[in-house]
Amino acid sequence: MLLSEERQILAAELAMGLLEGPDETRAERLRREDRAFDDAVWWWEETLSGAISQIPAASAPPQALAGIQTALFGKEVKTAQGKLKWKPIVGGIVGVKAVLLSAYLLSRALNTETYVVETRYGEATVTWNTRAGTLQVKSSGDTTLHLWKQTADGFNYLGAAGARITAAIAAGDVIILSADGPLAKVPEPVGRATLTDE
Amino acid sequence: MIDQVSHEISRMATGERAALDRVYRMTSGKVFAILLRILRDRADAEDALQNVYVKAWRGAPRFDPSRSGEAWIATIARNVAIDHLRSARRHVPDSDEMDQIADPSQTSSDQWQMRKDLLHCLETLPAEQARAVVQVYLQGLSYQEVADILGSPLNTVRTWLRRSLLKLRSCLGGDDVTE
């Protein structure tokens, strides 16, 4: 694909990190909209990254992957069963097994499943009323969190924290918490919970 | 044919967390080496390593699986490292930038050829300009910073650096350009 000289220079400048401010914004937008321009930027990225990649690997710190997972998904919570997975608990209380079990049984009696999710914005509590088919999220932080349902080909927006959300949801669905609202094409997850109905 | 890393990045795009683990295991050694090379500081490289995979996870839905997943991750690593350098407002010692272009004796792959070609093409540029191109890529220097280092007018530096990039692309066999 032929590009004008101006576009070729712009592609090289974007790949090299030479653009700033409005020029960079314009080039990034062009990259999303123009496949030929995107290809030209990629040509530079692939060529230059190939040049710096042919070096011996170095041992990454052993705890790094766990840190990445925490940054992306929040910390996992030990459950009444002692397994490291999200489980229904009530009111954000994480404590002694007996307390958890009691809370869990109460929660079940009220047809609700409650999930505590640690996010970078603080702790969030997601409550699923299995009989009414509603979801509600309460966040301890100042940032408004939004709920998204993960689907096979992306994400469906469900609603914002505080609202009682009626949605087609079922056990096994993955609910994403994000600071991104409905205008976002792809939310950046800050926490997630897999709905279980046990 | 889609390479394994590209395939796993596509899985990441669907929200599959196990795919992130696999991408990490396949690429973190090389990524960490790139970060160490550019940042020259282990603590900074460890911080940057986390940012690389957070960005990769978030950017996965926009990844084109027909492209090289390894090159995509390496590009993120370079960009994250440059952001670290810029935010710290410091630059690594500039005595051996050319050494940072990988040693061809390490591999016999196609990228070896690409690397040798890159050095060859850099050598066709005036030495000062070749050095500036490498400093921009490996140290994140701006046009203004290159101009300050060389004591040359900004517009002059901008003009010859742009010309150098076009020559480099032409030498490396990139597409022709229209008028």
Side-chain angles (χ1 to χ4, degrees), chain B residues 1-175:
Chain B
M1 181 174 171
I2 297 177
D3 66 57
Q4 187 62 29
V5 176
S6 298
H7 172 73
E8 296 297 350
I9 293 169
S10 300
R11 307 285 301 179
M12 275 168 44
T14 69
E16 186 178 320
R17 289 165 59 169
L20 173 66
D21 295 2
R22 292 191 290 271
V23 168
Y24 179 85
R25 292 183 204 294
M26 286 188 283
T27 61
S28 59
K30 195 57 66 76
V31 164
F32 196 53
I34 291 170
L35 295 171
L36 285 170
R37 279 287 179 105
I38 295 177
L39 293 169
R40 315 280 182 92
D41 181 283
R42 189 169 184 88
D44 285 351
E46 290 180 4
D47 287 345
L49 184 66
Q50 179 168 314
N51 288 341
V52 170
Y53 288 94
V54 168
K55 283 180 181 288
W57 174 265
R58 292 174 179 165
R62 295 184 296 278
F63 172 69
D64 178 349
S66 68
R67 293 174 173 171
S68 162
E70 289 183 46
W72 185 73
I73 295 270
T75 297
I76 294 174
R78 178 267 174 186
N79 292 341
V80 165
I82 294 304
D83 285 346
H84 271 245
L85 285 181
R86 285 175 172 166
S87 64
R89 295 178 181 275
R90 68 180 179 83
H91 301 297
V92 295
D94 63 359
S95 58
D96 58 350
E97 296 91 352
M98 299 301 264
D99 291 344
Q100 290 182 273
I101 300 294
D103 181 351
S105 65
Q106 296 291 331
T107 176
S108 58
S109 71
D110 289 344
Q111 287 189 331
W112 181 95
Q113 188 62 40
M114 183 164 66
R115 181 268 182 195
K116 196 169 71 174
D117 289 353
L118 181 58
L119 270 188
H120 165 73
C121 290
L122 282 169
E123 286 168 1
T124 66
L125 301 174
E128 191 175 66
Q129 297 181 16
R131 187 180 184 83
V133 169
V134 174
Q135 284 180 316
V136 166
Y137 185 67
L138 291 176
Q139 296 186 19
L141 296 192
S142 65
Y143 283 124
Q144 184 64 61
E145 287 168 317
V146 174
D148 290 345
I149 289 170
L150 298 176
S152 301
L154 174 61
N155 283 338
T156 303
V157 168
R158 196 193 309 271
T159 298
W160 64 245
L161 244 176
R162 285 174 168 170
R163 199 178 303 131
S164 296
L165 291 171
L166 281 179
K167 280 184 190 170
L168 205 52
R169 182 178 168 98
S170 175
C171 176
L172 287 164
D175 290 340

Side-chain angles (χ1 to χ4, degrees), chain A residues 2-4 8 13 16-17 35 38-39 43-44 48 51 53-56 58-59 64 69 73 120 150, chain B residues 14 17 21 24 29-30 32-33 42 58 64 67 78 86 102 107 111 118 137 143 162 165 169 177-178:
Chain A
L2 296 180
L3 277 185
S4 68
Q8 287 287 6
E13 289 177 313
M16 298 281 284
R35 177 70 195 205
D38 180 46
D39 284 343
W43 182 89
W44 279 102
L48 295 170
S53 293
Q54 297 306 304
I55 53 177
S59 295
Q69 290 166 332
F73 312 125
R120 77 174 78 138
Q150 188 172 305
Chain B
T14 69
R17 289 165 59 169
D21 295 2
Y24 179 85
K30 195 57 66 76
F32 196 53
R42 189 169 184 88
R58 292 174 179 165
D64 178 349
R67 293 174 173 171
R78 178 267 174 186
R86 285 175 172 166
T107 176
Q111 287 189 331
L118 181 58
Y137 185 67
Y143 283 124
R162 285 174 168 170
L165 291 171
R169 182 178 168 98
V177 298
T178 61

Side-chain angles (χ1 to χ4, degrees), chain A residues 86-127:
Chain A
W86 292 111
K87 283 286 182 180
I89 54 176
V90 167
I93 301 169
V94 181
V96 183
K97 283 184 178 181
V99 174
L100 275 175
L101 184 58
S102 301
Y104 171 68
L105 291 173
L106 176 62
S107 169
R108 293 291 301 131
L110 296 173
N111 298 301
T112 60
E113 308 283 2
T114 305
Y115 309 82
V116 178
V117 183
E118 287 186 41
T119 78
R120 77 174 78 138
Y121 304 109
E123 197 172 83
T125 306
V126 179
T127 305

Side-chain angles (χ1 to χ4, degrees), chain A residues 2 11 17 33 48 51 53 55 58 60 63 67 71 80-81 109-110 134 138 141 144 147-148 155 164 175 186 190:
Chain A
L2 296 180
E33 296 170 351
L48 295 170
S53 293
I55 53 177
Q63 76 282 7
Q81 287 79 19
L110 296 173
T134 58
K138 291 181 180 174
T144 300
L147 284 179
W148 298 71
F155 301 90
R164 189 177 301 279
I175 302 300
V186 179
V190 296

